Amino acid sequence: MVSSGDPAERPSRPSRPAPVVRPEVWETYGPADLSAVPVFAGGFINFGYWKAVDLEGPLSQGDRIRSEQDLYRHVLDAAAPGGGRAVEVGCGLGLGCALALEEYGPAAVTGVDIHPQQLQRAREANSPLLAAEPHRLRFVLGAAEDLPLGDAEFDCLYSVEAAQHFPDLSAFAREAARVLRPGGRVAVTSFFSVGGVPEPGQRLAGLLDSFASGLDIARPVSRLADALAEAGFADVRVASIGPQVWPGWDRWLARLWEPGTWPRNFLAAWEQRILDYYLVTATRP
Ligand SMILES: C[S@@+](CC[C@H](N)C(=O)[O-])C[C@H]1O[C@@H](n2cnc3c(N)ncnc32)[C@H](O)[C@@H]1O
């Protein structure tokens, strides 16, 4: 069953050494602080879900933040936290945890991130909420592949644009199964290579610096779906949300990046059917 009470008193696994952070992840989310780069906005770090934004008109900072919030809303609609306990894996600055608390009414939200500097930023960005709701929000250092959380502690687990960095999707899926109660939901959104594409790693590395550097890892989405099924999840579903992500992301990028510069190749990779953006959901029996 789901545990209750003070987050600090909830069962968690014995203390363990700090997770090992890959150098590309360390640099991007530490010294380089991607959350402060102008193409990201409002403290979120995702490409956005642009369905509600008019892409024909000029885009504002408000549109950009709305897109990033709407990606969270799309995932949280699928994760359906209800009044239960939710955990976000790869929470970044934790603004998606705050959005979940404010709009979805869960009993509590735990944000997990592998990078200690991200967690520090998350605690600063959410300090009023942490002070006002100390029993409903916490941030925990940990890796997706080895979550420092108790068995069956959560009703839902969600993740937004972080799984492209997880080195071991099978270990992540096993951990998701472990920390969810029976009937718990998992909802993960991120970008993956399109199934059946030969040598996606090589082709994506040729187009996109983030794959060439090893920051993003090229794998078909079936790798995550299969890992969830092997970990015991039922009703594993994969849906492309590319049409709601890539054209809007590229429209926004065009404000800062010329055609032909590498970030504009995300749209090219989607149009060439090498890369897509997906929502993957499943239920723990
Ligand atoms: C692109 S950011 C997304 C942040 C946030 N979800 C958002 O949408 O604003 C990816 C986050 O995943 C974290 N991360 C990368 N690898 C991880 C891992 N193996 N386990 C947990 N977090 C990880 C990074 O530190 C970073 O904060």
Side-chain angles (χ1 to χ4, degrees):
M1 269 312 293
V2 180
S3 60
S4 60
D6 190 318
E9 291 168 10
R10 275 183 240 144
S12 60
R13 295 177 121 187
S15 64
R16 77 244 347 253
V20 175
V21 186
R22 296 187 295 123
E24 308 80 18
V25 170
W26 181 266
E27 171 62 24
T28 304
Y29 298 107
D33 187 7
L34 203 57
S35 70
V37 170
V39 287
F40 297 100
F44 293 93
I45 320 172
N46 66 61
F47 296 166
Y49 185 87
W50 297 81
K51 195 174 179 182
V53 176
D54 175 13
L55 296 182
E56 300 305 316
L59 297 180
S60 68
Q61 191 83 350
D63 292 328
R64 175 67 181 116
I65 294 171
R66 168 83 194 264
S67 77
E68 294 176 283
Q69 293 171 330
D70 280 355
L71 188 57
Y72 269 99
R73 292 183 182 112
H74 193 66
V75 171
L76 285 161
D77 287 348
R85 296 190 175 280
V87 56
E88 177 177 355
V89 180
C91 67
L93 270 60
L95 301 177
C97 299
L99 183 148
L101 266 188
E102 283 158 14
E103 298 186 10
Y104 288 80
V109 179
T110 297
V112 177
D113 202 283
I114 200 169
H115 205 305
Q117 292 176 32
Q118 290 288 74
L119 280 190
Q120 179 63 28
R121 293 183 189 112
R123 292 193 179 106
E124 283 163 15
N126 293 284
S127 59
L129 195 54
L130 283 166
E133 306 257 28
H135 302 295
R136 293 186 69 212
L137 181 63
R138 65 173 172 166
F139 294 106
V140 177
L141 183 70
E145 299 82 0
D146 184 20
L147 294 169
L149 305 168
D151 296 353
E153 192 181 339
F154 295 93
D155 299 272
C156 77
L157 179 151
Y158 65 97
S159 182
V160 173
E161 206 165 301
Q164 76 280 3
H165 300 316
F166 301 166
D168 186 343
L169 291 176
S170 296
F172 165 58
R174 285 193 297 273
E175 282 294 83
R178 183 182 64 76
V179 304
L180 284 173
R181 65 157 172 82
R185 292 273 294 162
V186 60
V188 175
T189 197
S190 190
F191 46 94
F192 295 87
S193 61
V194 171
V197 171
E199 300 182 337
Q202 213 174 321
R203 292 179 69 185
L204 287 168
L207 285 169
L208 292 159
D209 285 5
S210 57
F211 282 95
S213 72
L215 174 66
D216 296 329
I217 303 170
R219 292 163 295 203
V221 69
S222 58
R223 194 77 66 80
L224 176 58
D226 291 348
L228 289 168
E230 280 159 22
F233 281 95
D235 195 22
V236 180
R237 293 178 193 219
V238 174
S240 163
I241 59 167
Q244 287 79 40
V245 174
W246 301 115
W249 169 235
D250 191 70
R251 272 290 320 280
W252 180 254
L253 279 173
R255 289 165 50 119
L256 293 157
W257 293 83
E258 297 294 326
T261 53
W262 78 264
R264 305 294 301 277
N265 284 339
F266 278 108
L267 183 66
W270 177 58
E271 289 173 340
Q272 292 171 31
R273 301 197 51 74
I274 307 170
L275 189 71
D276 204 355
Y277 213 106
Y278 297 94
L279 174 65
V280 181
T281 55
T283 303
R284 195 188 155 201

